[in-house]
Amino acid sequence: MKIVVTVKLVPDANTEKRIDPATKRLVRAGVETVLNPFDEYAIEAALQLKERLAAAPGSAEPATVTVFSMAPESAREVLRKALAMGADDAVLLCDAGLQGSDVWATAYAVAAALKKVGFDLVVTGGLADDGNTGGVPGALAEYLGVPGLTNARAIEVADGKLKVQRETDTGYQVVTGPMPALVSVTMAIGEPRYASLKGIMGAKKKTITTISLAELGLDRAVGSDGAKTEVRELAAPPVRGKGRVVEASDGAQGAQVIFDYLKEKKLV
Amino acid sequence: MTATERERVAAPHPTDFLNVDALLSDEERLVRDTVRAFVRKRVLPNVARWFEEGILPLELSRELGELGLLGMHLEGYGCPGASAVAYGLACMELEAGDTGVRSFASVQGSLAMFAIHHWGSEEQKREWLPRMARGEAIGCFGLTEADFGSNPAGMRTSARRDGDDWVLNGTKMWITNGGIADVAVVWARSDDGIRGFVVPTATKGFSTAKIEHKLSLRASVTSELLLSDCRLPGSAVFPEVRGLRGPLACLSEARYGIVWGVMGSARACYEAALDYAKHRVQFDRPIAGYQLTQEKLVNMLLELNKGTLLALHIGRMKDEGRAHPAHVSFGKLNNVREALAIAREARTILGANGVTLEYPVIRHMNNLESVLTYEGTSEVHTLILGQSITGLAAFS
Ligand SMILES: Cc1cc2nc3c(=O)[nH]c(=O)nc-3n(C[C@H](O)[C@H](O)[C@H](O)COP(=O)(O)OP(=O)(O)OC[C@H]3O[C@@H](n4cnc5c(N)ncnc54)[C@H](O)[C@@H]3O)c2cc1C
Ligand SMILES: Cc1cc2nc3c(=O)[nH]c(=O)nc-3n(C[C@H](O)[C@H](O)[C@H](O)COP(=O)(O)OP(=O)(O)OC[C@H]3O[C@@H](n4cnc5c(N)ncnc54)[C@H](O)[C@@H]3O)c2cc1C
């Protein structure tokens, strides 16, 4: 079984970011690029699945995990981290013509690339830390022509069928579907593992294949030419006011003041 | 520099000002980032409490083992065989968390495991190294005695041959990991010079006593090792090595880790001070805006970057097999001295907050006092360098 995890490379949330007012894009220079934190959960989900399938009695051919990203060439270093965590190989879709892609263009190009790479199961994160739309997984499933099972907190594969626990605000639903399929995961899937030193040293020997737009032979424009949306204006979020500090003689009195406040705001 | 050049070159990073990062390979950066992430999540949220309570949680050993950080620069027997630079980077990140955590890994990997790896018999290596690499067995290294610190050649702990067995008697002092160890590497005087022994701590006649009331390296176990007619089979001795050469080879390894490690402490102090100075307002202005504070911060920045470059330089020399022990003394002397100066300067910037465990600074500052003393005091390293350049030994 071939599992492909889609990962986005995003600017490190721990560094200060700036948007270029002219291009309305993020200034990448001097900002460290990291694996989208949510996608580390997707990798974890895929590795867990691979390990569980390997441990299952009478399992057929072993599962493999491929990480995939549409990103600039500089992404290679970050993809190594995914390989160090335990993925088997990586594919990078990299082309200047992809710059300025929106959700639609991203999903369209990624779908074409994934069809070329081949898969039984695509695992995605729920959200990218920078673009923040959460729109890619749904659109991707559509263009791949496979069922999209979103917000999974647990994934199971048995008899070639997929069963996921789909997280909701109040609990979870159990959803099943045939494969090939796409699953997006939530953070409840389990803490991503650290790359071990052996994994890091082994990652050097794993391959990262690059594919270009020309190899995909797309029938529609992608990148900024094909984007269906345009960022028109940007504004900084309003500055948050100072919090209120409750001074109290003891814990019980303090709790009462906070409770009264929440009640006044109809929050409890 | 032309105007266009100025525009094209990115402004320096406030911590990694010289962009030492760019001198590392992808793999080295990945090692660093992984250990940094582990420390951020596992050590930093808890370490003030560990320090206050004077504990180091035992489960940390297995966690460090899973990451592959125990004996990481050793080859074979379940060890990953990483480069000296990768090992140094890991030390730096661990110590940016706390010197106690780095000391745990140093003693395990560079003293106990290195000793067995370098001097041990095949049987000793097979028995201990894989378990120690996984963090399932903890090791310690007993060289120092109460009356023989800088001058271990005078040690009194004795090893007497009795038939095929060896019988050890004596007391070792200031031994990191002593009370939590499963195996102790003990150096003792025999008829045949100083010999090293692999002592399972469950052996009859072996016991430990905790050293209390430390105000430094509190998140680390320090113990006395008591050997009282401790009987060991003939196979417990390191077969070949005789004399101080044995322990000194190990110390040079651990000292190398310190050259990097203390720059981790220094970085944590500098970053805490810089952040604090930008936010602390006195006389209606952030204190970072005052010239005196800027001078302090800039002096810290200079030494932090120089020290990190020095560590990397010695690391590259070590990977190329060109590092002499005196080079390591150079690094240890300079970097511990400067790290301590940075910590003390940082402490002044934090004012009263600088004396509490709410901030990392005084913890690092106090820890560094131990680092100044262990693995060769700053005076001893000065004398080693003095001897190296003059050809005259001034030890005695
Ligand atoms: C300020 C700003 C506003 C924007 N507003 C819009 C907008 O309104 N509409 C719009 O269409 N676009 C918008 N974009 C562009 C959009 O963010 C990017 O096109 C992005 O590539 C896709 O959306 P996302 O980052 O939100 O991904 P998400 O949909 O949040 O990502 C979810 C998952 O999809 C996968 N994934 C996403 N991108 C990739 C990739 N490149 N390679 C591999 N896997 C990937 C990952 O698994 C990820 O976890 C905006 C960008 C900026 C900077
Ligand atoms: C927290 C901690 C953990 C430790 N862990 C270990 C461990 O795991 N294993 C181990 O074996 N040891 C360990 N040590 C011991 C450490 O290595 C010794 O403390 C160190 O070697 C110094 O010895 P000493 O304390 O006896 O000081 P001394 O040797 O008595 O030195 C006292 C002072 O005299 C100076 N001095 C000594 N000789 C000379 C000279 N010839 N010329 C000029 N000045 C001189 C010293 O530099 C120092 O300033 C640890 C120590 C500490 C504090």
Side-chain angles (χ1 to χ4, degrees):
Chain A
M1 181 169 127
K2 183 164 180 174
I3 309 172
V4 180
V5 186
T6 60
V7 301
K8 192 178 184 190
L9 305 180
V10 299
D12 188 352
N14 294 311
T15 54
E16 261 175 56
K17 278 163 278 185
R18 211 160 51 79
I19 304 243
D20 183 337
T23 61
K24 300 202 171 57
R25 289 207 210 127
L26 196 79
V27 180
R28 301 253 169 194
V31 181
E32 214 186 317
T33 305
V34 297
L35 265 181
N36 174 29
F38 296 99
D39 294 343
E40 291 194 19
Y41 290 85
I43 297 169
E44 178 62 32
L47 294 175
Q48 279 181 18
L49 190 57
K50 172 181 165 171
E51 285 158 3
R52 264 185 280 121
L53 289 172
S59 63
E61 40 88 64
T64 59
V65 175
T66 300
V67 280
F68 171 90
S69 190
M70 174 178 125
E73 181 64 30
S74 56
R76 284 178 164 270
E77 180 178 347
V78 188
L79 288 177
R80 289 262 173 238
K81 178 174 177 189
L83 295 175
M85 285 172 76
D88 298 289
D89 60 357
V91 178
L92 179 62
L93 171 61
C94 175
D95 201 297
L98 288 163
Q99 266 186 43
S101 290
D102 63 355
V103 168
W104 175 80
T106 301
Y108 195 69
V110 170
L114 290 185
K115 281 183 191 161
K116 191 174 154 65
V117 168
F119 63 90
D120 297 296
L121 179 66
V122 175
V123 184
T124 79
L127 195 68
D129 204 33
D130 56 349
N132 239 303
T133 67
V136 171
L140 189 54
E142 186 63 27
Y143 282 117
L144 288 171
V146 301
L149 290 74
T150 52
N151 293 336
R153 64 194 286 279
I155 310 175
E156 227 180 282
V157 172
D159 307 324
K161 276 189 77 181
L162 198 61
K163 186 158 130 190
V164 309
Q165 294 178 10
R166 185 175 189 281
E167 200 168 312
T168 69
D169 286 344
T170 50
Y172 66 85
Q173 306 160 334
V174 176
V175 186
T176 59
M179 292 212 289
L182 177 145
V183 176
S184 77
V185 302
T186 70
M187 288 161 78
I189 203 88
E191 276 296 299
R193 64 196 63 191
Y194 295 102
S196 75
L197 201 73
K198 275 187 202 136
I200 292 171
M201 295 180 60
K204 286 200 272 253
K205 293 179 212 102
K206 297 179 178 173
T207 50
I208 301 179
T209 313
T210 306
I211 45 185
S212 66
L213 266 184
E215 291 171 65
L216 299 182
L218 296 180
D219 54 358
R220 297 192 219 170
V222 288
S224 36
D225 293 344
K228 297 184 186 298
T229 60
E230 181 196 351
V231 179
R232 299 288 286 273
E233 210 179 315
L234 293 159
V239 194
R240 265 212 272 164
K242 268 207 170 152
R244 181 175 150 211
V245 177
V246 176
E247 306 229 5
S249 51
D250 62 57
Q253 193 226 329
Q256 189 62 47
V257 177
I258 293 169
F259 179 75
D260 291 345
Y261 173 80
L262 292 174
K263 204 164 160 195
E264 182 195 311
K265 297 271 169 192
K266 297 203 165 48
L267 290 167
V268 285
Chain B
M1 192 188 267
T2 63
T4 39
E5 259 179 83
R6 215 172 295 128
E7 273 162 31
R8 214 169 343 110
V9 177
H13 188 275
T15 301
D16 183 17
F17 200 83
L18 296 178
N19 200 4
V20 177
D21 198 79
L23 303 176
L24 304 177
S25 69
D26 287 2
E27 182 177 302
E28 287 162 352
R29 273 193 287 268
L30 196 46
V31 170
R32 182 206 49 200
D33 292 347
T34 301
V35 183
R36 187 177 290 186
F38 172 79
V39 167
R40 202 177 269 166
K41 191 152 132 214
R42 187 65 177 95
V43 178
L44 290 180
N46 302 311
V47 67
R49 183 172 55 79
W50 298 343
F51 189 95
E52 185 140 50
E53 293 174 5
I55 53 164
L56 186 71
L58 268 183
E59 60 270 20
L60 216 54
S61 177
R62 277 171 199 262
E63 293 169 29
L64 293 168
E66 259 167 45
L67 282 171
L69 299 181
L70 302 176
M72 69 183 262
H73 56 315
L74 304 177
E75 200 83 58
Y77 306 96
C79 306
S83 69
V85 169
Y87 169 61
L89 287 163
C91 286
M92 185 170 184
E93 294 307 323
L94 289 177
E95 193 147 359
D98 191 80
T99 309
V101 178
R102 199 271 303 145
S103 296
F104 176 88
S106 285
V107 167
Q108 175 87 349
S110 284
L111 292 177
M113 290 175 73
F114 180 87
I116 296 171
H117 193 271
H118 205 63
W119 302 122
S121 65
E122 188 57 33
E123 184 194 338
Q124 289 163 346
K125 292 185 207 184
R126 285 214 191 131
E127 177 172 3
W128 290 106
L129 292 178
R131 286 167 59 204
M132 292 174 85
R134 290 195 297 270
E136 287 165 18
I138 295 175
C140 70
F141 184 87
L143 177 66
T144 305
E145 298 179 4
D147 294 335
F148 298 92
S150 299
N151 178 27
M155 70 172 68
R156 293 210 185 93
T157 299
S158 66
R160 180 172 51 82
R161 200 89 220 223
D162 185 25
D164 274 349
D165 294 350
W166 287 93
V167 179
L168 268 54
N169 276 290
T171 306
K172 295 289 177 183
M173 191 70 180
W174 302 113
I175 307 307
T176 303
N177 293 356
I180 54 172
D182 301 286
V183 60
V185 170
V186 175
W187 301 92
R189 165 180 308 291
S190 76
D191 284 345
D192 198 12
I194 289 171
R195 307 279 314 252
F197 297 85
V198 180
V199 186
T201 56
T203 309
K204 191 158 167 270
F206 181 98
S207 60
T208 65
K210 187 172 180 202
I211 296 178
E212 305 274 6
H213 313 303
K214 282 180 300 168
L215 295 178
S216 170
L217 221 63
R218 289 184 54 74
S220 172
V221 175
T222 317
S223 315
E224 237 176 297
L225 308 185
L226 308 147
L227 299 135
S228 164
D229 285 331
C230 182
R231 182 174 287 273
L232 299 164
S235 59
V237 72
F238 288 147
E240 302 298 336
V241 66
R242 309 258 188 304
L244 271 188
R245 193 164 73 87
L248 291 187
C250 310
L251 289 177
S252 193
E253 283 298 303
R255 284 167 186 168
Y256 165 72
I258 291 174
V259 177
W260 284 92
V262 291
M263 285 297 113
S265 282
R267 187 185 76 208
C269 292
Y270 166 73
E271 286 183 336
L274 179 61
D275 184 62
Y276 192 87
K278 289 201 291 195
H279 295 105
R280 175 68 179 171
V281 173
Q282 283 295 288
F283 303 100
D284 303 323
R285 265 210 285 157
I287 59 171
Y290 295 112
Q291 292 178 356
L292 290 178
T293 313
Q294 289 194 356
E295 185 186 30
K296 289 180 187 181
L297 290 168
V298 169
N299 284 340
M300 291 157 77
L301 173 74
L302 295 183
E303 295 312 325
L304 174 61
N305 275 262
K306 283 151 71 179
T308 308
L309 271 180
L310 174 59
L312 179 61
H313 179 65
I314 294 175
R316 295 276 185 242
M317 289 171 88
K318 200 160 166 8
D319 277 328
E320 290 160 14
R322 294 188 295 114
H324 186 275
H327 288 126
V328 178
S329 287
F330 185 116
K332 201 233 169 197
L333 177 62
N334 183 78
N335 282 10
V336 179
R337 176 196 282 173
E338 297 305 334
L340 197 49
I342 288 170
R344 286 178 181 150
E345 198 80 288
R347 218 235 26 90
T348 68
I349 291 177
L350 270 73
N353 278 320
V355 307
T356 76
L357 275 174
E358 293 287 310
Y359 293 86
V361 177
I362 199 157
R363 179 168 50 78
H364 283 298
M365 186 179 114
N366 279 7
N367 282 341
L368 287 167
E369 294 291 347
S370 286
V371 187
L372 190 66
T373 289
Y374 71 27
E375 304 281 354
T377 66
S378 53
E379 293 80 3
V380 164
H381 287 294
T382 304
L383 298 180
I384 291 172
L385 291 170
Q387 180 184 20
S388 177
I389 57 173
T390 66
L392 304 169
F395 298 89
S396 49

